[in-house]
Amino acid sequence: MLVRNRLEHSRRALASLARASGDFEVVVVDNGSDDGTAEHLAALDLGRPLAVLRHEDDRGGSERRNAGAAVARGEFLLFLDNDVLVDDPRVVEALAAELAADPGLGAVSPLLLYPGEAELVQCAGGGSTADGRIGPIGRGRPLADEHRAHREQTWAPTAALMVRHSSFRRVGGFDESFDPVSLCEDVDLCCRLRADGERIRYVGSVAVRHFEGTTFNHVGHDKLPIWKRHVRVIRSRWADLFAAGPAHTEADLAWVPVRKDYANLDRPRVSVLDDAAPASADLSFFASDRALATGPADVRVLLVGGDVPELPGVRVVGVADPDVRAALPVARAHGAPWALRDATRLVETVPAEGVVVRAPDTDAVSTALRRGLHVLLDKHAVVDLPRLVEAARRAPGRCSVDLPLAHHPELVALGKAITEGRAGVPHAFAVRLDRPARSDRDVVAELGPDAVDAVERVLGAPVTGLRSVEATPGRARAVVVSGGVTGTVEVGWGAPVFRVSVTGTGGATTANLAAQPVSGAYADFIGALRGGPAPLADLNAVDGLFGVVQEWRSKAATLLAAGAPAR
């Protein structure tokens, strides 16, 4: 049983479980409670073996249920939410007997009823349609004989789920990339059991009462978009299993809106809404409680072809690189549960809020944007520009580009002096950017985006075209136009130099950026994922810049191929 605060629910749940028949131990995992739960558990005597695992933080349901399972000694594992009442004392024995009698079963679950006198079904098994729609069967319907049946099911909820211990270990337990908000991790576990050849059975002859929606690990998170994102992941992973059945109709999974009143836990009231129009009243199951957050919510990030620094509250849950020897050390360093060669597959099958792309992979970026994720692109990953821009314009996700010098204080100060007219009207400019030799990289591809970006930020106008280009293997120079002003941009390998000079009617104004600060784009990106304002360079706003750089690079390559530097 996983608990976090809500002491009164936990007290009632454990007391009801203590009255159940059968030979079992109880393992309680306290996920950072601060409401007296720890003290209550320390003094608790259930009359049977009890182990309490205390954690000071709230890391999510999958990780902490796995921790509880790791210390459990039984042949079968019964996962039970702390908002469940085991008021039928036969439940534990009946579920265990079902598993013991059929070696082909991997997991079983009982009937879940709402509390109160109305005898309304909360979940008569987990169902799915052939096209991957998932949901509880019979929710909000009056209890009937059909809900007391035993039948095969697609999945079962962790509110009350018994799993064969050996099967749970064999498939790797719950996927921790679904943390910190545990939604769909139970569907995924059951699908992995089924993919491994086992069946999942609904046992309607025994029932528990479920105070639906009160024990989510969700403070600071908006659960509805997370639910939708997780469902997309589940459909991508398990489309073949859903198509194979057991399948249900959409009517079986109809979400009947109910009104829940848990103000008095001794007399809870749940009723079906007569009018489905105010169904928003039922969204307490998924409602946001961001206002209750005491700190920044955890965010999950996927990495494609690179690494990121550690930041508080950020979880790297997946790493992709065509060279698995490069991906595995990064995954281990971050404790990421997923490491794949295929970045598109990673984006499709691992839940996350953001993707950091350090190496070119247009397919992965397009997939992430289509799924509504926020993408941070390294400047080296901007290839196939038209397709990237089209994906960014059409998809619900946001695409930002990491331009390391975008917020350099000296660059900002120079741009401000120009725009405020303190340097007079500009009529020429010059930019020179040198970095220590990197013979394995194209000098324009490596340094061009930063140099052109500096021009645009200082003059406050896009670079609209190239007048001429010169190139050698280690140096490239271009004459460009920005806001009607013509100037030169030069990049090369050598001692570090980054100088921006603007000549105007008031004389020359220069900024030397050789001592550049470390890019803050990743921290800004995480701030954006948490819902805050962040000064990120949007791909749609800088696509012209990369178009100019790609044209410059192409012309330089042509000159070098001809065998001699030329205009």
Side-chain angles (χ1 to χ4, degrees), residues 110-452:
L111 167 66
L112 273 65
L113 298 172
Y114 282 109
E117 300 176 356
E119 291 281 280
L120 291 177
V121 173
Q122 191 267 314
C123 179
S128 65
T129 60
D131 62 357
R133 180 182 175 187
I134 59 176
I137 298 170
R139 182 184 187 273
R141 301 188 185 281
L143 181 61
D145 290 342
E146 64 188 90
H147 303 128
R148 289 294 190 178
H150 289 207
R151 50 178 161 73
E152 304 302 297
Q153 59 183 338
T154 309
W155 62 278
T158 49
L161 168 66
M162 184 176 283
V163 185
R164 196 179 301 276
H165 201 157
S166 58
S167 301
F168 184 82
R169 287 197 301 266
R170 190 177 64 253
V171 300
F174 292 105
D175 184 350
E176 296 175 8
S177 62
F178 285 99
D179 287 340
V181 181
S182 300
L183 294 168
C184 294
E185 84 291 353
D186 42 14
V187 182
D188 178 72
L189 173 67
C190 291
C191 285
R192 278 186 282 124
L193 291 169
R194 292 178 59 215
D196 209 37
E198 297 187 321
R199 307 187 319 280
I200 315 297
R201 181 174 295 166
Y202 166 67
V203 182
S205 58
V206 288
V208 298
R209 302 273 177 172
H210 185 205
F211 287 78
E212 178 192 68
T214 65
T215 60
F216 275 103
N217 174 26
H218 58 244
V219 173
H221 298 270
D222 188 344
K223 297 191 292 293
L224 186 56
I226 294 174
W227 162 260
K228 292 178 179 178
R229 190 175 302 124
H230 287 192
V231 166
R232 289 197 294 268
V233 167
I234 289 293
R235 288 174 176 169
S236 295
R237 286 186 185 181
W238 304 116
D240 292 344
L241 276 181
F242 292 136
H248 293 83
T249 66
E250 292 199 11
D252 293 332
L253 307 182
W255 188 273
V256 176
V258 298
R259 179 179 287 108
K260 293 172 283 190
D261 181 359
Y262 300 153
N264 184 345
L265 294 183
D266 292 320
R267 300 190 64 184
R269 298 177 181 179
V270 180
S271 58
V272 176
L273 292 173
D274 295 329
D275 181 6
S280 60
D282 190 35
L283 287 181
S284 60
F285 191 78
F286 292 122
S288 170
D289 61 356
R290 185 175 295 278
L292 299 178
T294 57
D298 282 11
V299 294
R300 298 164 297 181
V301 172
L302 303 175
L303 304 182
V304 176
D307 201 357
V308 293
E310 294 281 351
L311 288 179
V314 179
R315 288 186 176 189
V316 175
V317 293
V319 179
D321 196 296
D323 182 358
V324 72
R325 293 170 297 179
L328 286 175
V330 177
R332 291 192 189 103
H334 291 281
W338 287 84
L340 300 177
R341 289 186 175 91
D342 187 337
T344 300
R345 187 64 177 159
L346 182 79
V347 172
E348 286 178 336
T349 58
V350 179
E353 284 71 55
V355 184
V356 178
V357 181
R358 298 297 194 198
D361 197 321
T362 304
D363 287 341
V365 174
S366 299
T367 300
L369 294 174
R370 188 172 66 251
R371 290 181 170 275
L373 305 183
H374 189 164
V375 177
L376 178 63
L377 274 176
D378 190 277
K379 62 184 180 181
H380 305 112
V382 181
V383 297
D384 197 353
L385 185 61
R387 187 176 163 206
L388 281 176
V389 171
E390 181 67 13
R393 286 175 178 166
R394 295 170 60 92
R398 179 181 175 189
C399 188
S400 302
V401 182
D402 183 356
L403 292 169
L405 294 154
H407 307 293
H408 193 295
E410 292 187 46
L411 193 65
V412 171
L414 178 58
K416 187 175 182 180
I418 299 298
T419 56
E420 292 179 352
R422 286 184 274 127
V425 178
H427 54 73
F429 61 86
V431 174
R432 180 176 174 182
L433 171 56
D434 289 359
R435 283 291 176 263
R438 293 289 300 276
S439 58
D440 59 326
R441 292 229 177 138
D442 181 304
V443 68
V444 177
E446 178 79 10
L447 305 179
D450 293 326
V452 176

